[in-house]
Amino acid sequence: MSWMRKAAHQVGQWRVERARRRADMERYKAARRAARKSGGRLPEPENLGPPPTGFALLPWLLMGLGSFSNLLQGRTPQPWIGGLGLLAFNSLYVYVTFRAFAKEKRRARSTRVALALMGVVTCALAIVYGGSWLYFFPLLGLATGAVMRGPWLGRAGLALTALAAAVSAVRDGWDALNVAYGTFLSTMVTAAILSLTEAVRELRAAREELARRAVEEERLRFSRDLHDLLGHTLSVIVVKSEAARRLAPSNMDAALLQITDIESVGRQALTEIREAVTGYRQGSLATELDRADSALTAADITTVVHRSGPPLPASAEALLGWVVREAVTNVVRHSGAARCEITVAGAGERVRLSIADNGDGTGVQRTPPARPDVGGTGLKGLKERLAAAGGSLEAGPGPQGGFLVTAELPTEVAT
């Protein structure tokens, strides 16, 4: 009874596929009507071609009705041999064609053996009976075209055509031309149609996969930019708010200056978030160094900046700006340092950036713990960015205490 369950499963798959194709076609027609009304571009049709099951090739078995009619009318000598041959051919045909739509099954040895047995049965029936039994050769060609897709198709098609022509010539003379032509045509056309249909499905699947990866990369970019932007901005706002609170009782003017800086930082953050959303943000290293000095000064951390070397391209400055932003945010939030030294040195084809502090991070983690299911945050995200551009990032305890972040990058950043 297992074959009945398999048949019922195949019928169910065919019905589901047919319903899906009908629904897709209805959506396509609705989209075409809407496009015609609006004057827009017509959409591309989806899921064209036969459904990927052997049911698409079953109707061709009607070509064997002539032989079956001869058996019923008693015009075939030794009908039990013809009946067994017809049953064997049909069974092998159904087996081969249903396996032809799965790439692994199509290339399996059992499928090739069944196809060879089909050839033996076809030749035997054609030689013994001739006449309408010769039209099993085009059916054999159809099964061969469904299975033999690839570099061996041409040779297999020509060999099968020659075999059909030879057997038919022995039995029916000049009618062999029609049989040979039908065999060659069914072999090549079937292979071409099924290969094209499979290629269209694979291309559509590849396009969907590329679209999915593009969405994932954009989400990663946005989450990374948002983390770097808001982490630094909120840290600066907190530090300047604390400074304003400390200064308010004794020096209101200085406190108001800090509050003005908070307003400026907030407005700038809004602009940067909008730019990050649209993907057009390009940071400036000089701007980030100025912001770093302001944030560190507000946190009562002495800032020393050294910069040497030729001007850098915008792409290199943008990446180094992210490093300055993230490293300074960690200094303000986690270091407990009294001094921070930032050095930018460009020599030859590479530029080196280092941010060193003298803090001890007492009781505080140096970097916030990263969730294992989220990538592209903090120093981890910066390391991935620099590695993609041909650079490197190292972070750890400094040789004289404190914490040291070092980034190296080629001046011509790979995009």
Side-chain angles (χ1 to χ4, degrees):
M1 299 294 290
S2 60
W3 67 271
M4 295 183 64
R5 288 194 295 269
K6 290 181 179 179
H9 178 68
Q10 290 286 353
V11 172
Q13 284 186 330
W14 177 69
R15 288 177 176 174
V16 170
E17 177 67 21
R18 184 176 62 175
R20 185 177 66 85
R21 290 182 64 243
R22 286 181 177 176
D24 290 341
M25 188 56 67
E26 291 297 327
R27 286 195 295 269
Y28 169 65
K29 291 179 179 178
R32 283 181 65 90
R33 288 193 295 267
R36 287 194 183 100
K37 290 180 180 179
S38 61
R41 181 180 179 183
L42 295 179
E44 296 181 0
E46 296 287 337
N47 297 318
L48 298 181
T53 65
F55 286 101
L57 302 180
L58 289 185
W60 293 101
L61 284 175
L62 295 176
M63 294 179 64
L65 282 179
S67 304
F68 184 68
S69 176
N70 291 337
L71 284 174
L72 292 180
Q73 295 175 9
R75 292 186 294 180
T76 302
Q78 297 180 332
W80 62 274
I81 296 179
L84 288 177
L86 185 62
L87 178 62
F89 180 87
N90 290 342
S91 301
L92 290 170
Y93 178 87
V94 172
Y95 177 80
V96 169
T97 53
F98 271 91
R99 294 175 67 86
F101 287 89
K103 186 175 295 186
E104 296 78 11
K105 295 180 179 179
R106 183 169 70 240
R107 296 176 177 176
R109 178 178 298 179
S110 58
T111 305
R112 305 299 173 94
V113 171
L115 187 63
L117 290 176
M118 275 187 66
V120 173
V121 172
T122 302
C123 290
L125 293 174
I127 292 173
V128 172
Y129 295 114
S132 60
W133 297 85
L134 295 173
Y135 291 102
F136 284 132
F137 275 111
L139 284 175
L140 176 61
L142 191 147
T144 302
V147 173
M148 301 290 293
R149 307 181 214 169
W152 291 95
L153 174 64
R155 298 178 184 179
L158 291 175
L160 181 58
T161 302
L163 177 63
V167 174
S168 302
V170 171
R171 291 294 307 181
D172 285 3
W174 286 103
D175 194 50
L177 293 177
N178 295 330
V179 176
Y181 177 73
T183 302
F184 180 78
L185 198 64
S186 63
T187 303
M188 305 308 292
V189 170
T190 301
I193 292 176
L194 295 183
S195 298
L196 181 60
T197 303
E198 187 176 23
V200 169
R201 292 195 183 95
E202 290 177 352
L203 287 174
R204 182 174 292 118
R207 183 177 63 183
E208 292 175 355
E209 177 66 16
L210 289 175
R212 185 186 65 81
R213 290 186 179 182
V215 171
E216 289 182 353
E217 290 177 0
E218 183 62 15
R219 286 177 177 172
L220 178 61
R221 180 198 68 81
F222 180 70
S223 63
R224 187 168 52 196
D225 288 0
L226 196 62
H227 168 271
D228 294 340
L229 286 169
L230 292 183
H232 173 78
T233 302
L234 294 178
S235 297
V236 172
I237 290 176
V238 169
V239 170
K240 287 186 173 292
S241 299
E242 292 176 349
R245 178 175 53 80
R246 292 195 309 267
L247 293 171
S250 58
N251 191 342
M252 183 57 67
D253 291 338
L256 289 176
L257 182 60
Q258 294 294 334
I259 293 174
T260 302
D261 288 344
I262 293 173
E263 180 183 2
S264 176
V265 169
R267 292 183 184 277
Q268 183 62 32
L270 289 175
T271 302
E272 291 178 346
I273 289 175
R274 294 190 187 102
E275 293 173 345
V277 169
T278 57
Y280 291 114
R281 185 176 190 274
Q282 288 291 337
S284 168
L285 181 58
T287 302
E288 295 299 337
L289 290 175
D290 291 340
R291 293 176 183 173
D293 180 61
S294 176
L296 292 169
T297 301
D300 292 331
I301 299 175
T302 303
T303 309
V304 179
V305 179
H306 302 284
R307 183 169 184 178
S308 62
L312 300 175
S315 54
E317 285 215 356
L319 282 174
L320 294 180
W322 283 116
V323 176
V324 171
R325 175 183 287 258
E326 178 63 26
V328 169
T329 300
N330 288 335
V331 170
V332 172
R333 295 173 58 186
H334 308 301
S335 69
R339 176 185 172 87
C340 179
E341 184 173 350
I342 303 174
T343 304
V344 182
E349 297 181 353
R350 298 187 70 84
V351 59
R352 179 185 178 92
L353 167 69
S354 63
I355 299 98
D357 65 68
N358 63 349
D360 54 8
T362 305
V364 185
Q365 290 179 316
R366 298 301 304 190
T367 55
R371 288 170 47 190
D373 60 333
V374 177
T377 58
L379 295 176
K380 177 185 175 183
L382 287 174
K383 188 173 183 179
E384 294 173 355
R385 289 191 188 190
L386 267 68
S392 63
L393 178 70
E394 296 180 358
Q400 299 178 355
F403 200 73
L404 174 64
V405 176
T406 303
E408 286 193 6
L409 195 66
T411 54
E412 296 296 332
V413 175
T415 56

